[in-house]
């Protein structure tokens, strides 16, 4: 019998109701100041995922060992960040409200705010772990408060976000680094210090993981809006994700893949693999 | 409520049972001798179709005025042309057997043979109209009989194929042109003579339409395996399709889009638009 | 003596005060629904202009025969269309208020609205001539009123815009074509009918010319967000511009060049040449 | 038996001694002011020629009907135009001295001068037919006399060059057009007037044909250093070449293909086909 | 005197008879399931080799110190894996039968089977050393036994293949890893354990070396069909090759370069350099 | 008020007179034997610099803490290396003569000779520190003395160049390595030994730093004419630059960025960041 052409991330074919984890895409990039294109990230990850396997030799598990639902992309209005964030919050709330873990695929980093707003309503004392080349701590960008350059500053202002642990940061205005020294737990350049953070949070603290793919060195992630030399490699990020996955993860996102900026496809292939490892790592 | 992520060609969301026309993809390109990549054609057409509208100002109709089903791609085994053709024949037979018109998206031109074999079992005295830069009339290619360079020769051999009307042909071996002068109705370089052919076939003769996109000039279709200068432009092909659509179309295909060979995307966008026009044109 | 590195469009080095015509860029593309990238248009046109000559063999004049100032780009806030349009209006007002003709380089087509708002305050009974593949007459796009898909609907609502003459239109929703049949002067597919329009407006009527480069066939303009097959070629557009240039032009724009979508550079080179011809054509 | 890996243009495998026509490549592009890359032209044409056929349906002949030798590329020193031109002259002299027709593949247009110098020593009253977007009639470029922008001025100065017939010219400095109006037979924009020229030269006058591929519209030839909108299409150029081929051709060249600027490959494919047609057209 | 245009890998210009090592290309990629293009590998390596030197500062030797013949590519029939493998076996047998070492350039990894079949007839107790991201141990792929995903399973079944030592493996189905734990000597992720293997085989055991370039991290080898993050870098692979070269090498191959997938050219340049080092390393 | 459109490297907007350091571009690549394109380097670095920040978290300083002037590009005549070098020498002399540090952006590596000639007239006993994959020590290239492959040999011959310290060298002819063992201080493959060199030169010796970006591994610098596998990563180069910056730097250059060879943009972004760090590092 001929059935409809359902396209999901490989190995994530559970129904919403039975799933413990739900993927969705937030294809929005209206506020990026430099090179747009992350709007194409979620579809590319989904589409190219048939080039990888469902089995992880790193964690010796298969995606199909778990119940994961890929709920597709939200259709977001370009040029209207307020509305877009509201729509993301609504989706995250629906997922988290059903006791499932939402895993969002950006889009620009601003989309993280939409998801965090939903979780902020549900969980107390959230710790955010951020992998990113940029601190994203500006108060505004050309007067605009809802910008990808400000997303962590907005996250910082949420009532239940207790601490932001930042890793791999190697770019920003001087004032952002000054703000960080007062207000966040910033680890420059790489993932040094992660073990201590993981150890500290291993008591069941609700943890949100946001991965801006430009934390990686541009040699392995050229397909991103603002490539920033001097990042970590895939293995270092993979190890970090596996460690963090053991914590009480309440939600996660992978963002800023701009697939068309890397015609070789290595960036998208890496993102697919990272998502597989993340999805397996956070299963209990 | 969150539903599965169904991806179809725009405006083609009818169920199989209610549909009058059924699209499917045959992503196969194992026998091409020059530049592969047409395997990516069907997915690209489907995915990029959200960049066009469902309304045709040329025919003043909308896709949604009709019942069209997009039944997705067949998963074909690369390197095994016999098996692949059998699987295509099976799908075409299922569609045609239900009284619907199958519209196939290639893949390389060889896939046409699979669909023609199914229709050959059902219809008498089929006339094939072929738009193509290459005659595809070789008897074999390096000893291989099932090759994209031989597909029209194989079609010629089918019992119920009465005549092949070839348009835009401007490349081939000398022997192919000699074969054509004896055995087919070849119109070189462009669509001259189409009106006579359409007139001749307007009595209800079963007609199969196969469009190798390299019939177009490479300026408007660079994304194809074997671009051949001196082709027709989009408007000439569109006019031809609208005329042919009035005949008794028993099946059709659009093939040889190799989307990755044209990073600008104009080739895929043209193929999307052509498919929309073809689907509307063949509705009665 | 070593001087600062001033980059202008070739042959447009007049000071603002002495200029009769002033170019500026509006690098904004936040509301496009399909493929972004027109934000890079103005800089690309300026930068690649050193590949063309200042002399036009078509009009037998040189750019340096006139006083034209290139005033550079406005720095616009991505994700904030209201603010961006206000900033454009301000720049256009400053130019037009000084009796000069503003020529804007987009950016997405929405930027036209910013400039028209300024001119709407200054001139009565404006006629707009639009070259475009898309009618851009939607009332909203996913609820958003300020979208590139709605720009001509917004222009239509301006108090002093008396008529919009649309050419080359070949894509849109059915409702847009219905709206056009009641409210605009739409010429589908190509520039047929232009002579009559030019004749009608040759009495000194204030005319605004907006050129969405996707009016051209994608074969000669692949570098645009939404390529739409079946457009006109460069020569047809050039002839149109030269004719229109003889009217009382109060402002103009060229938009929707997305240079990175065409790695061959032919799209940017064409835009440079078109701008040269436009600048010469509108000089009195 | 395993033989060496000889790579020639398709169908051009005659030995030098038996050949009536000899191809060679001049991969030099040191003096181009805008975008280099034509150095890769000859190898690309040779390498991609296996994507076309040896049979011409336009002229109903095969390359193998004739004795044509592909003698490979000259290794030229970049940055030393004088030496490079001398080496080209020597090769052309060797070919022409043996009563064969030299057909050179550029490289930038400057290489034409090297070949013309050799022919200037052998033939009286040469007429040059040039297809080109640019007149190439500057006296110098930033003080340099041996530049691609000056090649036709240098050709004009050769003692036995009686007239230069220029077609498709649509770019240059004003002074070049003024020079042309006094000294050359310039046909602007397209090939109008060719029939008269061919008629005039049909008395056995020695004719040299130089084709700068940017005479073509960039839509069908994006892969060239300086694409110039408004050119002719392939069919118009093909028809011209077939007509000219009937004259007494003493040498020819095809130049300015920069294959890497067109990742789709359509430009190289066109150049291959044009070379095939040229080679057939000039056989007596 | 003008000689034919022979194109070989740089520094490999010995005649077949005098050579100790013979290169040939197997440009075949019909069975790849994901991204084709490795058919273009051999020609790209040969063509771009003029960008490297013949001297290795790593091994302080020159290619021209040895007698190496580049015997060109075999023309293989696409879509017919059986025939293609037979033709490869024949070529390998001719080389090995003459006491020379065959070094094959793929093409997809399946081509290794053709060469191993020839060597399997000549040598007892062969050990295969495989560098690869994928184990290639599937029994079939969509029912097809001759697939690039199955090549090592087929190699395992050859009568004289005693052991397969696998390095850098980081992708496969769970069943492949289970098969490996029983039947092969698999080293996951990198080249750890190589010293022990080399030590064990240093007694004159016949060793075949097959390098799937996707063993490398995609950051330095994006131009391959299935890039897999987390691979080794060039230096680690180079060191491995130099060590392995000291063993009794009976044949080798480098495969899965898909040059067009990496427009920067770094992948092809790396492959050229690796081939140079391999050729020098295996000379005794 | 509307001001002219001055484009400088980010944060380098001091006037020439007040500046301590002056940047200029030398967009010349006529002598490169392999892949041209470094002529586009300076403009790309300047243009893309708005994608980085002016603050260095590595050195905790901002570009705007210092007085740096970007004096734009010199317009150099392609195909005339002698003249081009003279024009570079003149610019360098003007800068250095005013007691400022010239920082040149190539262009091919040959441009270094132009700047060194100016400094050779002003300083005694200059030590050159070179980061490069290639030794550039050939005496000539196809008979040409002024070639990018010979630049360090020419530098060696300058009267006041006392020693050349070469790092990361991993390619060249055997004779170049032999020359180096007698005449230069060559450190193969990486930056080992730099600490000793820095220590030795820390007595105020005038030091010139030339960075050929191909010293980096192609994974992080694919956008260069001759990518050479096995190079250092960004962090290693950054650390070297910071150390060297503490010496008595009399001039510096960064060359061989060919931005168009890397469509992802990571190469240009790295070059921008490296230039920022270099500019900060050399300030006293």
């Amino acid at each position: 019998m001929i059935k409809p052409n359902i396209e999901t991330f490989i190995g994530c074919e559970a129904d919403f109701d039975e799933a413990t984890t739900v993927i969705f895409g937030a294809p929005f990039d209206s506020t990026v100041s430099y090179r747009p294109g992350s709007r194409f990230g979620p579809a590319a990850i989904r589409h190219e995922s048939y080039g990888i396997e469902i089995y992880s030799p790193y964690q010796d598990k298969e995606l199909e060992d778990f119940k994961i639902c890929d709920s597709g992309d939200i259709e977001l209005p370009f040029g209207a960040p307020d509305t877009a964030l509201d729509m993301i919050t609504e989706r995250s709330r629906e997922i988290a409200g059903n006791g499932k873990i939402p895993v969002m695929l950006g889009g620009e980093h601003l989309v993280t705010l939409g998801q965090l707003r939903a979780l902020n309503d549900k969980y107390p004392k959230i710790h955010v772990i951020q992998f990113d080349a940029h601190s994203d701590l500006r108060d505004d960008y050309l007067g605009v408060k809802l910008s990808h350059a400000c997303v962590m500053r907005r996250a910082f202002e949420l009532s239940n976000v207790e601490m932001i642990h930042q890793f791999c940061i190697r770019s920003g205005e001087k004032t952002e680094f000054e703000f960080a020294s007062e207000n966040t737990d910033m680890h420059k350049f790489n993932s040094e210090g992660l073990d201590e953070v993981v150890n500290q949070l291993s008591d069941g603290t609700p943890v949100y993981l946001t991965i801006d793919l430009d934390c990686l060195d541009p040699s392995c992630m050229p397909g991103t809006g603002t490539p920033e030399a001097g990042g970590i490699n895939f293995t270092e990020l993979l190890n970090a994700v596996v460690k963090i996955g053991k914590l009480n993860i309440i939600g996660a996102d992978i963002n800023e893949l701009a697939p068309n900026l890397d015609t070789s496809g290595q960036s998208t292939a890496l993102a697919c693999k990272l998502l597989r490892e993340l999805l397996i790592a956070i299963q209990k």
Side-chain angles (χ1 to χ4, degrees), chain A residues 129-199:
Chain A
I129 299 180
Q130 173 197 5
F131 277 76
D132 201 333
H134 312 86
S135 66
D136 292 351
L137 289 171
R138 292 193 190 196
D139 191 38
D140 72 273
Y141 190 81
L142 295 179
V144 176
K145 291 271 184 175
L146 292 179
S147 163
H148 74 131
C150 313
V151 60
M152 283 301 135
R153 186 67 169 262
R154 292 295 91 73
F156 172 81
E157 295 163 358
L158 292 176
S159 56
N160 283 322
V161 168
E162 190 158 290
M163 179 51 65
I164 302 176
H165 307 273
Q166 304 184 292
F167 291 92
C168 304
I169 310 299
R170 56 194 185 278
S171 179
E173 294 191 323
K174 191 173 187 179
T175 54
E176 293 177 74
F177 283 85
E178 290 166 351
F179 181 89
S181 71
E182 307 266 319
N183 297 290
T184 76
D185 173 35
M186 184 190 282
H187 304 250
K188 285 191 287 194
F189 309 136
N190 50 40
S191 67
E192 266 179 53
L194 177 65
D195 286 347
E196 292 78 355
V197 171
V198 166
N199 198 41

Side-chain angles (χ1 to χ4, degrees), chain A residues 12-275:
Chain A
C12 296
E13 288 156 20
D15 287 337
F16 182 78
D17 288 340
E18 63 176 346
T20 59
T21 305
V22 178
I23 302 172
F24 72 95
F28 184 82
D29 61 3
S30 281
T31 81
V32 300
S33 52
Y34 190 44
R35 303 194 302 179
S38 61
R39 66 176 66 185
F40 303 119
I45 288 174
R46 205 175 278 122
H47 192 63
E48 300 301 326
S49 68
Y50 74 98
I52 64 167
E53 305 282 353
I54 60 169
Y55 172 71
S56 163
Y58 303 96
Q59 304 188 63
D60 193 20
K61 288 177 190 156
E62 292 190 303
L63 275 175
E64 293 187 346
D65 296 340
F66 311 101
K67 295 290 184 192
I68 306 171
C69 168
D70 180 350
S71 71
D73 287 354
I74 315 177
E75 193 175 14
L76 299 169
F78 291 103
D82 280 290
T83 311
L85 286 179
D86 285 350
M87 293 170 75
I88 292 168
T89 301
E90 185 184 8
R91 174 73 67 102
S92 299
R93 185 174 287 134
E94 186 171 355
I95 297 168
N98 279 282
K100 305 164 194 309
I101 305 175
V103 175
M104 178 172 57
L105 306 178
E108 57 165 270
H109 208 166
L110 180 63
V111 298
T112 298
L113 182 61
Q115 178 143 292
L116 271 176
R117 282 175 175 171
L119 298 172
N120 186 63
D121 292 348
K122 182 177 165 77
Y123 296 99
K125 301 193 171 179
I126 299 167
H127 281 239
V128 175
I129 299 180
Q130 173 197 5
F131 277 76
D132 201 333
H134 312 86
S135 66
D136 292 351
L137 289 171
R138 292 193 190 196
D139 191 38
D140 72 273
Y141 190 81
L142 295 179
V144 176
K145 291 271 184 175
L146 292 179
S147 163
H148 74 131
C150 313
V151 60
M152 283 301 135
R153 186 67 169 262
R154 292 295 91 73
F156 172 81
E157 295 163 358
L158 292 176
S159 56
N160 283 322
V161 168
E162 190 158 290
M163 179 51 65
I164 302 176
H165 307 273
Q166 304 184 292
F167 291 92
C168 304
I169 310 299
R170 56 194 185 278
S171 179
E173 294 191 323
K174 191 173 187 179
T175 54
E176 293 177 74
F177 283 85
E178 290 166 351
F179 181 89
S181 71
E182 307 266 319
N183 297 290
T184 76
D185 173 35
M186 184 190 282
H187 304 250
K188 285 191 287 194
F189 309 136
N190 50 40
S191 67
E192 266 179 53
L194 177 65
D195 286 347
E196 292 78 355
V197 171
V198 166
N199 198 41
Q200 169 201 340
L201 302 178
S202 60
D203 59 352
T205 302
V207 171
Y208 185 83
L209 173 60
T210 180
I211 300 174
D212 185 324
L213 288 166
D214 64 20
C215 67
L216 289 159
D217 193 73
S219 58
C220 54
M221 181 50 63
T224 193
T226 314
E228 185 75 34
I232 61 175
N233 66 21
F234 173 73
T235 304
E236 186 168 344
L237 181 57
L238 170 65
N239 290 341
V241 165
V242 172
K243 282 178 196 165
I244 294 165
K246 297 191 185 350
L247 301 176
N248 176 22
I249 299 296
I250 59 170
D253 65 64
I254 296 177
N255 57 68
E256 293 287 2
L257 173 70
N260 298 353
L261 293 177
D262 171 13
T263 57
S264 81
Q266 66 151 304
S267 301
T268 301
L270 186 154
C272 291
K273 189 168 178 176
L274 183 68
L275 177 56

